[in-house]
Amino acid sequence: MITNPGSRAKATTAAATWQVALWVLAVSGFILALTFVWMQTQQIRGGYRLSQAQSEYHQQLNLKRKLDLTWAQLTAPQRLTQLARAQFQLAPPKPEQILTVGEAVD
Amino acid sequence: MSNQTSQPGSPAAVVFPRRYALLCALLSGFVLVGFGAVLHKAFSLQVLEHEFWLGKARLQSETTFRIPVYRGSVLDRNGRLLATSVHQFSVFVDPSKVPDKPGLARKLSPIIELPAASIEAQTKNRQGFTWLKRGISDQQRNLIERLQLEGVQLSPEYQRFYPFGSLAGQLLGFTNVDGKGLEGIEKLYDTVLDKEPIDCSQLRDGARRRISLHDQGSDDTDQAGGITLSLDAVLQAIAERELGAAVAAQGARAAEAVILDPRTMEVLALANWPPFDPNRYQAAASEDWRNRAITDLFEPGSTFKVFLYAAAIDQGTVRETDRFFCENGVYRLARNTIHDVHPHGWLTVPEMLMVSSNVGAAKLATKLGAGKFYQYIQAFGFGQKSGIGLTGEAQGLVRPWNEWRPIDLAVTGFGQSIGITALQLSSAVATIARGGVWQRPTILRRALRDSDQAEIRRAIQPARRVLKASTAALLTKWLIKATGEGGTGQPAVPAGYQVAGKTGTAQIVDPNTGTYSGKRYNAVFTGFVPAADPRLVITVVVHEPSKSIFGGTVAGPVFRNIAAEALPYLGVAPDRDDPNEKRSPTRWASLDPGAGPNNRQ
């Protein structure tokens, strides 16, 4: 039987190409699978972190509201007036004590 | 043993016996049937029973919960917090799980500040869930958690707080423990302030920890926003303080004050005395919840003459130079006698207003006529709700003019046989301050959330002209005289400012006799300041003062003190050419540090 060395080489090359392609496919599939698993893990971890962050947000929000409330209580007009009068002997200004900016003083 | 045979020297030929072929076919069939069964089951689970199994899976891995949204805050015009909600814990007990009830009561009593006997009674006779105390503080919560008491649990809830205590208590109203508005602003804007809880679902792992894997939508519990009122907490505090001082000084029963900005018709203060703290609404008598400035009717007395004179000038019934004989203080009309505090003879129209002659007012009302007077009374907004929208507002008492007898017309001229609220009186006086244009007063400035704005804007109504601008200007001039030298309203004038206002001393009808009491009065002062460029309309009503009875001496000083403090606060400088005040050579002495006792102001 007469064989053509060129066609045999071609066949060998084609077989090798197929083998490489299969390997690439297999490795890619493996990498994709690993990536998918990694992403799933990250998503779960992110989910925990997000839940934690939401919980902290609500706690901080409530704390801020409580601080706002305390601030309002401390700066209540009646309280400030009482403090000003009792502790610092302050009183509302008399008309002659009010100066408009830019106004010449007699 | 195999039946397989091969012929020597021939290519290997494999011959499968019939039995082997059957076995292979059988196995293939089993595999195919197995695959078919798996496919069928998979199809059944994934497609036909999808919803059922999805629900089961969710039940195991997902949790759905409701997050209550914070009730919206209420702010004053400068952003001061008037009402807000915070997360607080409530403590409850399951008596069936408490091993030592007296011991539990003993331990909890000092923490939640309830008598031990009361706690024990609550745990003794009941089975299941029982609230011990709602809305405990963070410190109380920490102490209870540290004790680790069996059967005692804490539940988070939102609680409403009013940080300024009794300031504007009647106006703000309050909510119940479940956060529903019951009175005042809280009730009026309940739909804006109160939002539905948010439904939220999340995955949970085996340890019941939450995992946020999907977009759950907003769970922002602060989304309810809130509202900003036109109220100014500082002006409100000034008004309440001055009312309290006047009530104490005069031995009065109650008092109210309204402060309006006539440029915008915004209510800056709506003060009532006695005060009411919405933080402790359950401890207060329901009478104290009442916002007297809008719910309580009173006869305005001589303050009502302002509107009689306005109508008479506007209609051209009288001119400034016209004169009336005031009968030396005693005027008989049919079987009734009308008196003046001081006897007067012939007076011009502005003089009649300045000295507040009842006889003059009675004659002027008669000359104007019931129909025309009634028309102006209506146009000024009396006999109808002001439109501010607050709950419980009274519409006033104004009988139809065709039912008036001559004496009714005459006495209505000086504010008898008519019932009005302090807010109505303020709105009507603001009409004069605004050059004769009436507009509905408002208390709400804006909602903090854009989506709530539409609800608020609907409330704004166009203004309407009641008086000619020239009438309003002339009346302002006369009202300035009424607070000037010889006028009844002189005590209402703060140093450095010119006031246009009117006093009123109104007798109160005795419910037992049905006639006017000789001992019980309402002292009223209403006006605007500065008269030339009005920034504030202030109405003060003091009910049943026992020391002095006159509007000028009881309500006037309250007006003066409020204006004297409120105007500098608003940046309105005193008039340098004030005719009420002489310039002192030591005018600026106190500005020098150390020059006087007030140098720290």
Side-chain angles (χ1 to χ4, degrees):
Chain A
M1 191 170 104
I2 300 164
T3 55
N4 187 350
S7 64
R8 186 182 290 172
K10 270 185 186 173
T12 310
T13 310
T17 309
W18 271 107
Q19 275 190 352
V20 169
L22 278 173
W23 271 106
V24 167
L25 203 64
V27 169
S28 301
F30 184 67
I31 290 170
L32 273 174
L34 275 182
T35 310
F36 180 74
V37 170
W38 178 79
M39 283 173 71
Q40 283 284 325
T41 313
Q42 288 301 309
Q43 193 187 7
I44 299 286
R45 282 185 186 167
Y48 279 120
R49 281 204 299 268
L50 190 56
S51 285
Q52 180 70 21
Q54 280 173 343
S55 171
E56 280 174 23
Y57 166 75
H58 289 303
Q59 282 176 17
Q60 297 295 327
L61 178 69
N62 193 46
L63 180 64
K64 180 188 174 294
R65 292 181 77 99
K66 283 184 178 174
L67 290 173
D68 285 343
L69 177 66
T70 308
W71 175 255
Q73 285 168 332
L74 291 173
T75 56
Q78 318 97 300
R79 183 177 177 274
L80 292 184
T81 305
Q82 199 185 351
L83 280 177
R85 285 175 193 269
Q87 287 196 16
F88 303 104
Q89 289 76 49
L90 293 172
K94 292 173 184 169
E96 64 269 23
Q97 293 172 307
I98 299 171
L99 271 178
T100 308
V101 176
E103 185 182 7
V105 178
D106 297 63
Chain B
M1 187 183 136
S2 171
N3 293 326
Q4 208 170 309
T5 56
S6 58
Q7 296 298 321
S10 66
V14 178
V15 179
F16 294 105
R18 190 184 177 88
R19 221 172 115 191
Y20 184 76
L22 270 173
L23 190 65
C24 283
L26 198 64
L27 280 173
S28 302
F30 275 137
V31 169
L32 276 175
V33 169
F35 267 115
V38 168
L39 274 174
H40 174 262
K41 191 65 186 173
F43 183 78
S44 171
L45 290 173
Q46 296 288 338
V47 180
L48 301 178
E49 298 169 14
H50 174 79
E51 289 302 319
F52 173 77
W53 291 110
L54 189 68
K56 281 228 163 198
R58 281 184 175 158
L59 269 180
Q60 288 180 357
S61 62
E62 281 189 17
T63 178
T64 304
F65 47 94
R66 306 196 92 188
I67 305 176
V69 176
Y70 284 106
R71 186 178 171 83
S73 298
V74 181
L75 311 177
D76 87 338
R77 64 188 297 117
N78 296 312
R80 294 185 189 92
L81 207 53
L82 299 173
T84 192
S85 295
V86 294
H87 221 174
Q88 292 289 96
F89 280 81
S90 293
V91 57
F92 66 92
V93 66
D94 183 352
S96 62
K97 293 181 182 168
V98 178
D100 176 17
K101 287 168 186 169
L104 174 88
R106 228 178 14 256
K107 285 177 186 168
L108 274 183
S109 173
I111 299 173
I112 61 174
E113 292 158 5
L114 282 177
S118 153
I119 297 171
E120 203 178 334
Q122 288 199 60
T123 55
K124 231 174 196 172
N125 304 322
R126 297 186 194 193
Q127 295 295 316
F129 175 98
T130 306
W131 285 116
L132 285 181
K133 191 167 186 180
R134 299 181 84 168
I136 58 171
S137 69
D138 288 352
Q139 289 88 343
Q140 288 172 318
R141 175 199 164 194
N142 290 339
L143 289 170
I144 292 170
E145 279 181 338
R146 250 180 254 163
L147 287 175
Q148 294 185 325
L149 298 165
E150 272 187 77
V152 175
Q153 291 191 50
L154 295 161
S155 167
E157 289 185 308
Y158 289 137
Q159 199 180 353
R160 197 71 168 160
F161 284 98
Y162 303 88
F164 294 167
S166 63
L167 190 91
Q170 290 96 340
L171 174 66
L172 293 173
F174 52 87
T175 63
N176 62 11
V177 285
D178 297 318
K180 292 286 168 201
L182 295 183
E183 285 287 334
I185 291 288
E186 295 278 23
K187 186 178 181 185
L188 180 60
Y189 295 110
D190 198 44
T191 51
V192 178
L193 297 171
D194 191 29
K195 295 290 173 194
E196 288 298 312
I198 302 167
D199 284 324
C200 198
S201 67
Q202 277 189 335
L203 289 176
R204 279 191 189 273
D205 64 8
R208 309 298 293 163
R209 286 179 302 173
R210 288 182 193 172
I211 318 168
S212 297
L213 288 185
H214 312 299
D215 185 7
Q216 317 285 336
S218 169
D219 69 340
D220 184 0
T221 53
D222 203 20
Q223 64 171 280
I227 53 172
T228 299
L229 301 182
S230 62
L231 201 79
D232 188 314
V234 172
L235 297 183
Q236 179 78 20
I238 294 168
E240 288 186 5
R241 191 189 64 227
E242 292 302 327
L243 282 185
V247 167
Q250 298 294 338
R253 180 177 60 83
E256 64 247 13
V258 177
I259 306 179
L260 283 178
D261 183 343
R263 299 170 305 171
T264 58
M265 287 306 284
E266 288 177 328
V267 175
L268 300 176
L270 207 62
N272 293 278
W273 196 271
F276 160 68
D277 185 352
N279 291 304
R280 300 184 189 87
Y281 73 92
Q282 284 154 327
S286 58
E287 193 188 334
D288 295 341
W289 304 348
R290 212 170 65 235
N291 191 351
R292 294 167 191 275
I294 59 161
T295 59
D296 281 19
L297 296 179
F298 63 93
E299 290 193 350
S302 294
T303 53
F304 207 69
K305 289 171 187 165
V306 174
F307 311 107
L308 168 69
Y309 283 69
I313 303 161
D314 209 54
Q315 281 292 307
T317 308
V318 288
R319 288 171 303 173
E320 193 173 0
T321 49
D322 286 353
R323 291 162 72 87
F324 283 78
F325 182 59
C326 293
E327 310 283 347
N328 294 316
V330 182
Y331 177 43
R332 287 197 64 80
L333 188 65
R335 287 178 299 170
N336 304 90
T337 308
I338 295 168
H339 296 276
D340 275 338
V341 176
H342 302 290
H344 300 287
W346 286 96
L347 293 175
T348 62
V349 177
E351 282 171 345
M352 288 196 315
L353 184 64
M354 191 175 88
V355 300
S356 196
S357 167
N358 292 339
V359 175
K363 287 189 170 182
L364 188 57
T366 308
K367 191 173 180 186
L368 177 66
K372 284 179 184 169
F373 190 22
Y374 182 81
Q375 196 183 329
Y376 277 88
I377 289 172
Q378 291 258 300
F380 273 112
F382 297 111
Q384 55 207 281
K385 290 185 178 181
S386 72
I388 196 168
L390 291 169
T391 48
E393 186 186 9
Q395 64 174 30
L397 188 64
V398 182
R399 286 189 296 136
W401 69 273
N402 47 16
E403 291 177 12
W404 292 1
R405 298 167 298 158
I407 186 65
D408 293 326
L409 173 60
V411 299
T412 304
F414 53 88
Q416 285 189 344
S417 77
I418 188 169
I420 66 168
T421 66
L423 184 62
Q424 283 176 338
L425 183 57
S426 305
S427 306
V429 170
T431 306
I432 297 161
R434 290 163 53 84
V437 178
W438 185 92
Q439 194 177 335
R440 181 156 76 175
T442 59
I443 187 70
L444 193 67
R445 282 202 116 188
R446 64 186 185 92
L448 298 182
R449 278 189 355 158
D450 289 342
S451 55
D452 294 327
Q453 291 291 359
E455 190 170 338
I456 291 160
R457 294 228 170 90
R458 279 202 299 272
I460 298 169
Q461 275 192 345
R464 63 166 186 259
R465 181 161 283 285
V466 175
L467 299 173
K468 298 183 197 96
S470 57
T471 307
L474 188 62
L475 204 63
T476 301
K477 198 172 88 177
W478 295 357
L479 289 174
I480 293 169
K481 281 186 183 171
T483 59
E485 193 74 37
T488 53
Q490 212 177 352
V493 182
Y497 300 96
Q498 206 170 38
V499 174
K502 185 72 190 80
T503 57
T505 308
Q507 286 174 288
I508 296 174
V509 175
D510 189 332
N512 298 324
T513 62
T515 57
Y516 283 106
S517 163
K519 291 178 181 172
R520 297 167 64 205
Y521 292 85
N522 286 327
V524 189
F525 188 89
T526 185
F528 50 91
V529 61
D533 180 20
R535 290 291 304 274
L536 296 175
V537 170
I538 307 173
T539 297
V540 178
V541 185
V542 180
H543 298 282
E544 300 180 45
S546 56
K547 292 181 181 166
S548 173
I549 58 164
F550 298 108
T553 53
V554 176
V558 181
F559 180 101
R560 180 191 64 215
N561 295 343
I562 293 173
E565 206 167 327
L567 290 169
Y569 163 74
L570 294 172
V572 182
D575 187 1
R576 296 282 177 236
D577 303 318
D578 177 17
N580 304 313
E581 187 196 355
K582 283 187 177 176
R583 228 170 238 230
S584 159
T586 57
R587 188 180 179 95
W588 308 111
S590 60
L591 290 170
D592 182 19
N598 293 320
N599 60 0
R600 298 172 73 183
Q601 288 167 2

